[in-house]
Amino acid sequence: MSLYEERKSPDLAEEKQELVVDPLALADFDDPNIDRDEALAGILEDDSPYPEVRSAVANTDDTTIPCGTFRAWTMGFIWAIIVPGLNQFFFFRYPAVNVTNTVAQLLSFPMGRAWAKFVPNWKIFGVSINPGPFTIKEHVLVTIMATVGYQSAYATDIVAVQRVYYNQVFNFSYQWMMVLSTQMIGFSVGGIMRRFLVQPPSMIWPANLVTCALFNTLHAQTYAGIGNRGGLSRERFFTYFWLGGLCWYFVPGYLFQALSYFTWVCWIAPDNVVVNQLFGYQSGLGMSLITFDWAQIAYVMSPLSTPWWAEANIMGGFVIFFWILAPIIYYTNTWYAKYMPMQSRTSFDNTGVSYDVSKILTADNQFNITAYEEYSPLFLSTTFAIAYGLSFASITSTIMHAFLFFRKQIWTQARRSIHEQPDIHARLMSKYRQVPEWWYICIFVVMFVFGIVCIEVWPTDFPVWGFVLALIIAFVYIIPIGMIQAITNQQVGLNVITELIVGYAIPGRPLAMMMFKTWGYITMAQALQFASDFKLGHYMKVPPRTMFWGQVSAAALAGTVQLGVQAWMFTNIEDICSPTQKDGFICPSTQVFGTASIIWGVIGPQRQFSAGQVYHSLTYFFLVGAICPVIAWLIQMKWPNSWIRYINFPIIFNGTALIPPASAVNYVTWGIVGFIFQYVIRRRHFSWWTKYNYVLSAALDSGLACSVVLIFFCLQYPKNGEIGATNVQTWWGNTVFLKTADGEAASLWTVNGTFG
């Protein structure tokens, strides 16, 4: 009987669902990503129960395809030097350019093809330097090595802040051990947690599906999951939209930037503060709804990769907290809000200007309580304050949600080996030798020792118990946050809660605060980054041991290169990190990191959130975050098939966590595009969606990334940004959105003297 006939027979379909889908495919929790009919189709075809996975990942594997070749390792190490090195160099510059993983994925492809074509097939010590055509598994390994540490290591900001803010320059040994410890402890834990976050089929990691689709498109892979829809091939479709995306971004990204900040309502009433606060994109709430810039739409993440139910949760949270609650708070002047912009990335003093932290520090950068009391408390814009409250709620809701909804899944996976996973991809990967747990444990022990040495040998004022506590916080949250990210594409951050804890536990020690935050937050973030890479290798059938050594070696190399680049820059670039540095190396991230070290590590949260302080009411979000998942769980127990099963409070609270620095335009337009593709097109034109959706996302993302690089190096970086200074940069289309109350971040009330 055909699958079509089985679907037409309700009794047989129901029997198949009971006998096949329930015990084999579905997760041990009520998974909003699962559709029983689609799951049945996947199981009967010996494929993933998730159509998203089927459309992007092949359900076959050829174990003879070369992967860990001399060519792959050499290219991987080359890109592990180039990409992290370039990103570290531009990390200190504004405006910066970021060489993303998509750029590395694209550029390594022609390099591999050229190697296969032009390099002679010689052998060195019996190892072939050109084993034949450049394979898809080699490409995956090279890309993972290039991107495992491509972003500036978080700990390098500690080194920069020590130098710039506190005049501390510890030697390279300290820097190297701290960077490796903060990066690699997370890797070791991510490896240990792979049975929970990688092997289960329900842990789909949606962002990886775009990457898989691009790999399969570049290498012209065909498989059952893409369907049999006619029309353009995936390769040609990708080429057209990649070229279109690359060329189009020159318009909103350089020639006509008003198309990016399309605040058309504000242009009509540029001086009306209320209109600009509601409809503006830069300091307003984004009710203008429109942008023509994919960089704005995909700033949060690609709307074509996140499941619609998760996007709906995020947009629901955005509307409730930023379109309803924020105006109520602002226009009732709660927290003296009317004296500040509706939305801002900076903090303010009681005169309505940016907070000057230098006024509350002594000559040796210690907190001066007298100067603080004479100067001003610290105030936040309405959306910034709400963002802190939502961060508090996300921390408690994540733990409660994981306990109520994921506890059975966690217990099951703790006892299940990869051979027992109910998934075609896990069964295919079970043919390869797995990485033993003791390999990860050894890395953890070595990196833990590195951390202890950093703390004890140099004067950090950071107690060892603080180091251990930071790691415990990270370990507790890795599985709950990882499971949420794997099914929703959203990661709950620990940066604010670690700042809050260390501010109370170890007050007045800015270096200790930065180290606690880094080990507490980045350990978790790195663990999930590595888990995501593991899942990519899982989907693309890269041998686990090859993945392990590729990740370990590339991460260590990337961290070392970044420290070398940073040391060279501070030695050779004049006035680096000065606001007036002539080449733009003003270190914007270092300024934010340093200011945070003063606010949380010097001033301390007790002067912000304790009883009697301005923002004490935000601490009630901890209670709200704990209660909401319980209510949802009780309702779902009573009505298990109701729409409440799609409500995910950690996502509602954390979905808008990028505000700031993101603004409303990044969420409003993201939600609109997500609704069109992930709901309307997916439901009404499923065959088109299956074949092209992830390829379209990859094409637009990679076209944008390449265009950003071209614009930067061809039009912005040369001549210190003076190209077009008297024509293109100054015409109406590039200035109209700046000459509004939104662009000028106007407040509703003007300060006469001080407030608060």
Side-chain angles (χ1 to χ4, degrees):
M1 181 179 289
S2 69
L3 177 61
Y4 173 75
E5 291 170 327
E6 288 174 347
R7 281 177 164 173
K8 288 188 68 175
S9 173
D11 295 335
L12 183 56
E14 184 66 27
E15 181 181 353
K16 288 285 188 180
Q17 288 179 335
E18 295 297 329
L19 295 179
V20 180
V21 177
D22 283 340
L24 290 181
L26 302 185
D28 291 304
F29 61 95
D30 192 7
D31 186 0
N33 285 323
I34 203 72
D35 179 277
R36 296 180 69 86
D37 291 335
E38 293 297 337
L40 175 62
I43 296 301
L44 293 175
E45 295 166 4
D46 198 20
D47 208 334
S48 170
Y50 300 90
E52 294 86 353
V53 177
R54 294 201 299 272
S55 71
V57 184
N59 64 336
T60 58
D61 178 38
D62 183 353
T63 57
T64 64
I65 294 178
C67 180
T69 62
F70 174 86
R71 173 174 58 204
W73 287 109
T74 303
M75 288 177 56
F77 286 130
I78 290 173
W79 286 107
I81 293 172
I82 293 175
V83 176
L86 281 175
N87 282 336
Q88 186 68 19
F89 181 81
F90 289 107
F91 177 73
F92 293 102
R93 191 181 188 276
Y94 184 84
V97 62
N98 188 34
V99 183
T100 65
N101 57 339
T102 306
V103 174
Q105 184 181 9
L106 285 174
L107 295 181
S108 60
F109 180 66
M111 180 179 178
R113 287 290 180 92
W115 185 306
K117 184 174 182 179
F118 298 112
V119 174
N121 188 15
W122 296 341
K123 288 189 176 182
I124 300 176
F125 301 111
V127 177
S128 175
I129 64 173
N130 188 0
F134 184 55
T135 70
I136 190 170
K137 292 188 180 184
E138 286 180 294
H139 193 188
V140 174
L141 179 61
V142 171
T143 302
I144 288 175
M145 291 179 68
T147 59
V148 70
Y150 79 100
Q151 293 179 319
S152 177
Y154 206 72
T156 61
D157 247 339
I158 297 180
V159 177
V161 169
Q162 283 184 265
R163 183 190 293 261
V164 174
Y165 281 78
Y166 303 109
N167 298 315
Q168 291 178 331
V169 182
F170 298 160
N171 65 28
F172 189 82
S173 298
Y174 158 84
Q175 300 174 15
W176 185 76
M177 284 191 289
M178 183 171 61
V179 167
L180 260 62
S181 178
T182 54
Q183 297 288 96
M184 302 292 284
I185 279 183
F187 168 70
S188 62
V189 178
I192 294 171
M193 299 299 180
R194 68 193 186 280
R195 68 168 59 244
F196 303 100
L197 303 178
V198 177
Q199 295 171 2
S202 55
M203 302 293 105
I204 63 176
W205 293 90
N208 277 337
L209 301 179
V210 177
T211 307
C212 291
L214 181 53
F215 276 126
N216 287 320
T217 299
L218 292 174
H219 291 267
Q221 299 289 306
T222 58
Y223 45 93
I226 63 175
N228 54 8
R229 181 185 177 91
L232 290 174
S233 67
R234 275 183 155 191
E235 297 78 17
R236 184 165 294 184
F237 183 91
F238 173 84
T239 302
Y240 290 161
F241 279 91
W242 179 81
L243 286 172
L246 185 148
C247 296
W248 170 250
Y249 183 70
F250 275 83
V251 180
Y254 185 75
L255 297 173
F256 194 174
Q257 296 174 39
L259 294 178
S260 178
Y261 294 93
F262 198 72
T263 51
W264 58 279
V265 179
C266 300
W267 305 347
I268 298 173
D271 299 321
N272 189 311
V273 175
V274 174
V275 168
N276 279 259
Q277 287 177 336
L278 296 177
F279 293 91
Y281 287 169
Q282 296 173 84
S283 61
L285 297 179
M287 295 183 183
S288 294
L289 301 181
I290 302 172
T291 181
F292 298 92
D293 183 359
W294 183 252
Q296 295 278 30
I297 296 170
Y299 180 86
V300 179
M301 71 194 73
S302 173
L304 277 61
S305 66
T306 303
W308 165 244
W309 69 268
E311 293 177 333
N313 275 272
I314 295 169
M315 292 309 300
F318 175 85
V319 170
I320 292 170
F321 293 110
F322 291 94
W323 276 6
I324 298 176
L325 180 60
I328 292 174
I329 290 175
Y330 189 88
Y331 295 117
T332 56
N333 201 34
T334 305
W335 304 323
Y336 310 100
K338 290 184 178 181
Y339 294 104
M340 295 169 281
M342 176 77 76
Q343 175 169 292
S344 174
R345 299 178 177 91
T346 61
S347 53
F348 298 88
D349 63 18
N350 56 12
T351 66
V353 300
S354 294
Y355 200 88
D356 185 355
V357 295
S358 66
K359 290 185 177 182
I360 61 171
L361 297 177
T362 62
D364 57 350
N365 289 310
Q366 298 299 310
F367 180 55
N368 187 331
I369 181 65
T370 303
Y372 172 78
E373 292 173 348
E374 292 176 351
Y375 174 41
S376 170
L378 184 142
F379 295 94
L380 302 172
S381 68
T382 301
T383 58
F384 206 152
I386 291 175
Y388 272 127
L390 294 177
S391 179
F392 297 159
S394 69
I395 293 299
T396 50
S397 66
T398 296
I399 289 294
M400 190 61 70
H401 184 91
F403 173 76
L404 294 173
F405 292 92
F406 295 155
R407 63 185 187 278
K408 184 178 179 182
Q409 170 87 348
I410 293 172
W411 176 246
T412 300
Q413 291 302 323
R415 297 174 294 147
R416 180 181 284 169
S417 70
I418 190 171
H419 302 277
E420 301 170 317
Q421 294 293 341
D423 177 49
I424 179 61
H425 303 293
R427 294 200 302 274
L428 291 172
M429 286 300 290
S430 68
K431 299 176 183 178
Y432 298 99
R433 296 175 67 195
Q434 300 301 305
V435 179
E437 302 284 345
W438 66 267
W439 287 16
Y440 296 107
I441 294 173
C442 287
I443 291 180
F444 174 82
V445 171
V446 172
M447 296 304 140
F448 184 82
V449 171
F450 277 11
I452 297 294
V453 171
C454 288
I455 291 168
E456 292 296 302
V457 173
W458 287 270
T460 62
D461 293 325
F462 186 38
V464 173
W465 64 261
F467 176 41
V468 175
L469 177 61
L471 294 181
I472 290 173
I473 293 172
F475 295 169
V476 167
Y477 276 97
I478 283 173
I479 291 179
I481 292 177
M483 293 183 71
I484 290 172
Q485 182 177 354
I487 64 176
T488 69
N489 230 10
Q490 291 288 314
Q491 182 182 113
V492 178
L494 296 181
N495 51 328
V496 173
I497 191 63
T498 52
E499 290 171 333
L500 188 71
I501 291 173
V502 72
Y504 279 109
I506 314 175
R509 304 182 193 178
L511 178 55
M513 173 265 165
M514 292 187 291
M515 298 180 85
F516 184 94
K517 173 184 176 180
T518 301
W519 267 299
Y521 168 43
I522 291 302
T523 295
M524 182 276 297
Q526 283 296 106
L528 299 186
Q529 174 62 50
F530 285 121
S532 176
D533 286 342
F534 288 142
K535 190 68 176 188
L536 177 61
H538 185 85
Y539 280 147
M540 302 306 297
K541 313 303 178 294
V542 175
R545 296 193 175 197
T546 304
M547 276 281 295
F548 174 88
W549 290 114
Q551 288 178 300
V552 170
S553 57
L557 178 60
T560 306
V561 168
Q562 288 175 339
L563 281 175
V565 170
Q566 179 169 307
W568 180 89
M569 294 178 71
F570 275 98
T571 303
N572 294 278
I573 296 179
E574 184 179 357
D575 292 331
I576 187 171
C577 293
S578 167
T580 58
Q581 209 284 330
K582 61 184 180 66
D583 297 316
F585 290 99
I586 62 174
C587 310
S589 179
T590 303
Q591 292 175 8
V592 173
F593 205 91
T595 302
S597 75
I598 295 170
I599 293 172
W600 294 93
V602 178
I603 298 176
Q606 65 270 23
R607 295 181 178 86
Q608 303 294 320
F609 302 107
S610 294
Q613 302 301 319
V614 176
Y615 298 106
H616 173 67
S617 57
L618 289 174
T619 59
Y620 289 103
F621 273 85
F622 284 114
L623 182 61
V624 173
I627 292 174
C628 286
V630 177
I631 296 174
W633 181 74
L634 291 174
I635 295 175
Q636 188 169 332
M637 291 299 98
K638 179 67 175 177
W639 295 285
N641 295 320
S642 68
W643 58 269
I644 199 70
R645 66 189 291 262
Y646 294 104
I647 298 296
N648 187 304
F649 279 103
I651 298 306
I652 291 174
F653 293 134
N654 185 76
T656 54
L658 289 179
I659 297 177
S663 61
V665 61
N666 305 124
Y667 282 93
V668 175
T669 55
W670 174 83
I672 293 172
V673 173
F675 173 75
I676 294 172
F677 282 89
Q678 297 293 75
Y679 183 78
V680 176
I681 293 179
R682 189 182 187 278
R683 288 171 67 92
R684 299 184 179 180
H685 305 283
F686 186 71
S687 63
W688 186 97
W689 183 91
T690 299
K691 185 174 183 179
Y692 295 126
N693 181 71
Y694 291 113
V695 178
L696 175 61
S697 180
L700 294 177
D701 290 346
S702 56
L704 169 65
C706 293
S707 187
V708 168
V709 174
L710 287 174
I711 291 173
F712 181 82
F713 284 108
C714 297
L715 299 172
Q716 294 176 335
Y717 189 71
K719 298 184 179 181
N720 199 28
E722 294 181 359
I723 296 177
T726 59
N727 40 64
V728 173
Q729 295 184 30
T730 56
W731 82 286
W732 177 88
N734 281 339
T735 59
V736 61
F737 60 94
L738 299 173
K739 297 177 180 179
T740 62
D742 171 53
E744 295 171 356
S747 60
L748 187 61
W749 285 358
T750 302
V751 181
N752 293 317
T754 62
F755 64 86

